């Protein structure tokens, strides 16, 4: 999902007991500005060295104009026990999950697994 869509569906997603984190290679300052622009209520985390990209294997390995690798926009649902319940990882960094797809996945999961409120 695009960051704006995450905010638009934030309350619906949170009602499933899901906490949202947006992880980016951008600096904390850039993330703060973006979070304010989007009006996001969810948490932004900075990974400027790309350590998370490498650990999750979500690096597109194609540099952007500034020479940094491009992260693949990946959605991962982890339950309260730390078990990965769903991953959406497109083959192209330009593709995002549709909000309807994420909501369908949430409907199909056991709410007791995700309830992290």
């Amino acid at each position: 999902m695009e960051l704006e869509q995450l905010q638009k569906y934030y309350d619906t997603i949170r009602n499933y007991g899901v906490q949202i984190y947006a992880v980016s290679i951008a600096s904390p300052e850039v993330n703060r500005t973006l979070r304010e622009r989007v009006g996001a209520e969810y948490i932004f985390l900075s990974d400027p060295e790309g350590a998370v990209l490498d650990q999750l294997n979500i690096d597109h390995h194609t540099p952007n104009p500034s020479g940094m690798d491009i992260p693949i926009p990946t959605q991962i649902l982890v339950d309260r026990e730390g078990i990965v319940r769903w991953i959406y990882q497109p083959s192209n960094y330009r593709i995002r999950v549709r909000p309807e797809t994420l909501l369908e996945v949430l409907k199909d999961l056991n709410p007791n697994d995700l309830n992290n409120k």
Side-chain angles (χ1 to χ4, degrees), residues 28-81:
E29 296 79 22
V30 169
N31 276 340
R32 188 176 311 106
T33 300
L34 180 57
R35 184 175 187 225
E36 289 170 1
R37 183 179 63 78
V38 173
E41 298 174 63
Y42 51 90
I43 299 167
F44 278 59
L45 302 173
S46 292
D47 179 32
E49 302 300 319
V52 173
L53 298 180
D54 293 338
Q55 288 184 354
L56 297 176
N57 195 29
I58 60 173
D59 192 337
H60 194 263
H61 299 293
T62 302
N64 66 18
S66 66
M68 307 241 349
D69 283 346
I70 299 171
I72 299 171
T74 304
Q75 287 72 41
I76 303 170
L77 288 176
V78 180
D79 71 14
R80 65 174 145 186
E81 302 299 323

